[in-house]
Amino acid sequence: MEQIKNIIFDVGDVLLSYRWKYMLMDYGLSEEEAVRIGTEMFDDPEGLWGLLDLGTVPQQEIIERYCRKYPADEKVIRWFIGHGEYMPVARPAVWELVHKLKIQGYGIYLLSNYSEELFKKHTEYADFMNDIDGLIVSYMVHKAKPDPAIYAALCEKYELNPSECLFFDDRLENVQAAISYGMQAKRGLWRIWRKLCRCMRFRKRNRGCFFRLLSLTSVMIAHIMITNVNKSEYVTILPSSYIKTRRSRRNRPPAAWVNILYCQ
């Protein structure tokens, strides 16, 4: 295994969290309606959100396509896509870790799927942007993860040796694509860990949470077994609120489930 010289980060659910559901609820929707419309946009059968990330179709045209397809939700969709600045949630503890890695001499790079407009809005005030040595975002090259071409674009642009790169992403298919390209890669399980913590936090109020926790744990373990991915390939990058206030024994995941990444 080559010595790691460069660390590559995805942005969404790695360096930033998203509050799209609460953003829609702030607009005035019920939780049920917020989930319905969010799912409608993100999981559109024609892949309209993916086209937005590719940058091959102007944002306004994507909005018009959404509105023609979902006329009842036109007003909400226009507002949501046009006000992406309300969506991201800062993760300052993770940004501090990125800065520590930079000080230690690692090259820091970004590789993310994003539209140009949303990427600029989401990262405008993000401290980690001061530490990066380079980036490739899908709209720049009209390729998106897990397409091998986007990994190649980053390595070719900055003359990186893939075997000397460690890549972090929240999606399994993107991690597997990075490994296939020759990088070392790990999957952040922030989404799953957040659900587990939420279950444990409210277990006294809702007995059903205990069974939900068991279900989530079983899914995670089965997923690791089915995909033949070693447990060490999973990491959890924790938010500052956990690192500072949630060190109690009861809130720690069993070590056999995940490894927690502390870049010290």
Side-chain angles (χ1 to χ4, degrees), residues 102-211:
K102 177 69 173 179
I103 292 174
Q104 292 175 14
Y106 291 99
I108 305 295
Y109 297 89
L110 302 182
L111 185 65
S112 195
N113 292 348
Y114 253 107
S115 69
E116 181 175 7
E117 291 84 355
L118 289 179
F119 181 77
K120 290 179 177 178
K121 287 181 178 181
H122 288 190
T123 60
E124 183 177 4
Y125 302 108
D127 293 348
F128 62 79
M129 294 298 290
N130 297 322
D131 290 315
I132 66 171
D133 295 291
L135 76 165
I136 288 290
V137 185
S138 56
Y139 77 84
M140 298 175 175
V141 294
H142 308 309
K143 301 290 183 182
K145 297 174 297 181
D147 188 332
I150 194 170
Y151 301 88
L154 179 71
C155 292
E156 290 171 6
K157 181 176 181 178
Y158 299 104
E159 299 181 346
L160 306 180
N161 181 345
S163 64
E164 296 175 345
C165 297
L166 176 60
F167 175 61
F168 288 99
D169 198 289
D170 64 306
R171 295 186 177 276
L172 178 61
E173 62 269 25
N174 297 340
V175 169
Q176 291 175 331
I179 293 172
S180 296
Y181 184 69
M183 295 178 178
Q184 298 178 53
K186 293 183 181 292
R187 184 187 182 195
L189 287 181
W190 161 242
R191 292 180 183 178
I192 296 177
W193 172 235
R194 179 173 55 188
K195 290 180 180 179
L196 290 173
C197 284
R198 189 174 298 144
C199 283
M200 289 187 282
R201 195 175 304 133
F202 293 102
R203 67 191 184 283
K204 291 183 179 179
R205 301 179 187 177
N206 185 356
R207 293 175 61 187
C209 282
F210 173 73
F211 298 101

Side-chain angles (χ1 to χ4, degrees), residues 193 196-197 200 238 242 246-255 257-258 260 262:
W193 172 235
L196 290 173
C197 284
M200 289 187 282
L238 301 180
Y242 178 87
R246 297 191 173 94
R247 291 187 177 275
S248 65
R249 186 180 185 87
R250 67 180 183 177
N251 280 330
R252 293 178 184 174
W257 290 358
V258 293
I260 299 176
Y262 288 103

Side-chain angles (χ1 to χ4, degrees), residues 7 9 97-106 108 263:
I7 302 182
F9 292 96
L97 298 180
V98 172
H99 185 62
K100 287 182 181 181
L101 291 168
K102 177 69 173 179
I103 292 174
Q104 292 175 14
Y106 291 99
I108 305 295
C263 302

Side-chain angles (χ1 to χ4, degrees), residues 16-160:
L16 293 172
S17 298
Y18 294 138
R19 59 181 301 275
W20 61 265
K21 182 178 76 172
Y22 297 103
M23 177 181 167
L24 288 168
M25 291 172 68
D26 290 344
Y27 180 81
L29 301 181
S30 66
E31 182 174 1
E32 182 180 358
E33 280 294 284
V35 171
R36 181 186 67 79
I37 294 177
T39 303
E40 185 176 83
M41 287 187 286
F42 299 135
D43 297 339
D44 175 74
E46 295 180 21
L48 292 180
W49 196 267
L51 283 179
L52 198 61
D53 287 344
L54 284 176
T56 54
V57 179
Q59 177 174 292
Q60 191 56 42
E61 184 175 336
I62 295 292
I63 293 174
E64 297 304 326
R65 290 191 191 181
Y66 269 124
C67 293
R68 287 195 296 270
K69 194 169 185 178
Y70 308 107
D73 302 320
E74 175 178 353
K75 189 175 180 180
V76 180
I77 290 172
R78 289 186 185 278
W79 177 84
F80 182 84
I81 298 178
H83 290 280
E85 65 272 16
Y86 300 139
M87 193 190 307
V89 178
R91 302 186 68 188
V94 179
W95 301 355
E96 291 173 14
L97 298 180
V98 172
H99 185 62
K100 287 182 181 181
L101 291 168
K102 177 69 173 179
I103 292 174
Q104 292 175 14
Y106 291 99
I108 305 295
Y109 297 89
L110 302 182
L111 185 65
S112 195
N113 292 348
Y114 253 107
S115 69
E116 181 175 7
E117 291 84 355
L118 289 179
F119 181 77
K120 290 179 177 178
K121 287 181 178 181
H122 288 190
T123 60
E124 183 177 4
Y125 302 108
D127 293 348
F128 62 79
M129 294 298 290
N130 297 322
D131 290 315
I132 66 171
D133 295 291
L135 76 165
I136 288 290
V137 185
S138 56
Y139 77 84
M140 298 175 175
V141 294
H142 308 309
K143 301 290 183 182
K145 297 174 297 181
D147 188 332
I150 194 170
Y151 301 88
L154 179 71
C155 292
E156 290 171 6
K157 181 176 181 178
Y158 299 104
E159 299 181 346
L160 306 180

